Amino acid sequence: PIKEILLSAASNDINTQNCVEGSDLGERSFCGINSYNIGRPMVQMVHFVWTYLRVAEQLNVTPGDRSCAIDFVVPTGAMGNITGGYIAKKMGVPIGALCAGVNINDITHRVFQSGEFHKKKIQKTLSDAINIEVPYNFERLLFYLTGEDHSLVKACMTTMDTTKKLTLDLALLELLQRDFRSARITDDKMILALRSAYEEHNYVSDPHTAVALAAAEILGYSFDNEKRNPVAILATASPCKFCDVVSGAIGEDGWNEIIFPDSAKDLDNRAEFEPFHYIYREGVTIEEMQSEWKENMLEIIQNNF
């Protein structure tokens, strides 16, 4: 039941707490790791620090040199990743613009461009992990943008909850646009970006990263544009998770050559192991069950791989 509730919360972009109120789970302690959990953007913040240091190293820039800020383009759905970047920037990392690449479920783009944080019905896309109706991390961005004015943020989010619309005033929109940019990417543009990256740079991305690649181009980032800050584009997943989309973009030959070589085919052709069922036994602790699971998994790996 807990798993079902957490999946419901993640797929419908609602607060997990709302799921357990009035249920017999209300007194239990449990946690999900989607980005409604502050732990998620806090961990993702490290990605920005690490990436900044690597780019600074490549450019021979002294880390912390504010005369050479680095922009980021991020595939964006619930805004957890870009919130992590904003926290890193507020902590002192020399980050310039934080750019959101979004698909046609574009509430983030609309609020960045015009201040309209208005809920709309989800549309199906090929980058479905960033199909988001209401990015729950926008509330966290508002908290920092308003100077940590929790009363104002609460009023804003109450308006959003009751009317499904929040329109930022001009002053708040200007604050938002100091740090954030965005681009809206259709499936066709995403496919083109994925194919171009493969043909021109022998790099295969997943569909969500391809949204960011397309967004970077629209926002004016290119190898020969020295007017822009250096830019890093964050990738989100392995392309091997998205066979239909990736092979459709780069062709079956490209998929077989780069993503699914003979060694992977050999593994895929092996018989699947029967699942282990770990049933609670009286007197056995969680630690003992975990140790048993670990030993079984190690035995499978040692004997078969």
Side-chain angles (χ1 to χ4, degrees):
I2 291 177
K3 181 180 180 182
E4 290 175 359
I5 282 177
L6 290 176
L7 288 174
S8 173
S11 63
N12 292 293
D13 304 315
I14 54 179
N15 191 310
T16 308
Q17 184 62 34
N18 294 339
C19 294
V20 299
E21 289 177 355
S23 73
D24 60 357
L25 297 175
E27 296 181 359
R28 296 178 182 264
S29 296
F30 60 94
C31 179
I33 54 170
N34 210 328
S35 63
Y36 55 76
N37 183 333
I38 186 61
R40 177 78 167 266
M42 291 298 288
V43 170
Q44 290 172 316
M45 175 184 69
V46 179
H47 301 166
F48 289 84
V49 177
W50 186 89
T51 303
Y52 166 79
L53 291 173
R54 299 290 75 77
V55 175
E57 184 178 50
Q58 290 182 16
L59 298 176
N60 198 28
V61 172
T62 302
D65 183 353
R66 296 192 174 280
S67 67
C68 186
I70 294 171
D71 294 351
F72 282 83
V73 184
V74 186
T76 301
M79 291 192 184
N81 210 346
I82 208 166
T83 296
Y86 190 54
I87 294 171
K89 180 172 182 175
K90 289 186 69 65
M91 291 178 68
V93 180
I95 294 173
L98 288 158
C99 307
V102 306
N103 60 28
I104 59 173
N105 298 296
D106 60 353
I107 185 171
T108 296
H109 178 62
R110 285 182 276 118
V111 73
F112 285 1
Q113 295 299 310
S114 64
E116 293 184 354
F117 194 63
H118 298 179
K119 182 177 179 179
K120 291 185 177 180
K121 186 177 180 180
I122 285 286
Q123 300 181 66
K124 185 175 177 58
T125 73
L126 297 177
S127 52
D128 54 1
I130 54 175
N131 288 347
I132 300 293
E133 280 186 322
V134 180
Y136 26 80
N137 283 284
F138 185 63
E139 183 174 353
R140 291 180 173 132
L141 291 185
L142 277 181
F143 179 69
Y144 292 116
L145 289 168
T146 59
E148 303 182 11
D149 187 337
H150 56 85
S151 296
L152 178 56
V153 173
K154 181 178 180 180
C156 288
M157 299 315 296
T158 298
T159 298
M160 183 64 188
D161 288 343
T162 55
T163 68
K164 311 305 179 187
K165 292 183 178 181
L166 171 66
T167 302
L168 303 184
D169 63 34
L170 182 58
L172 201 52
L173 176 59
E174 289 177 348
L175 282 175
L176 185 66
Q177 291 177 339
R178 287 182 188 177
D179 294 303
F180 297 95
R181 305 176 69 213
S182 63
R184 179 184 187 274
I185 306 302
T186 63
D187 279 347
D188 287 344
K189 290 180 180 177
M190 179 276 290
I191 289 291
L192 181 60
L194 201 162
R195 183 180 298 124
S196 296
Y198 170 62
E199 293 176 347
E200 298 175 18
H201 306 289
N202 202 34
Y203 175 79
V204 181
S205 77
D206 73 282
H208 310 87
T209 303
V211 168
L213 291 170
E217 183 175 2
I218 287 176
L219 292 170
Y221 297 102
S222 64
F223 288 107
D224 56 359
N225 188 349
E226 297 181 357
K227 295 181 180 180
R228 293 283 186 198
N229 287 341
V231 63
I233 300 172
L234 297 191
T236 54
S238 168
C240 68
K241 296 171 62 178
F242 307 94
C243 174
D244 291 343
V245 178
V246 174
S247 60
I250 68 174
E252 291 293 336
D253 291 342
W255 173 267
N256 291 330
E257 177 185 353
I258 295 180
I259 304 299
F260 211 62
D262 289 341
S263 57
K265 291 177 184 177
D266 176 64
L267 182 61
D268 188 56
N269 290 331
R270 296 189 184 190
E272 184 176 345
F273 288 95
E274 290 295 322
F276 284 92
H277 297 282
Y278 296 95
I279 301 173
Y280 173 74
R281 303 192 299 273
E282 189 72 32
V284 178
T285 66
I286 292 178
E287 289 76 14
E288 289 169 336
M289 291 290 288
Q290 289 174 333
S291 178
E292 181 181 334
W293 176 87
K294 179 179 178 181
E295 291 175 5
N296 284 332
M297 293 305 102
L298 286 174
E299 183 179 352
I300 289 174
I301 294 170
Q302 291 167 355
N303 293 339
N304 296 278
F305 300 99

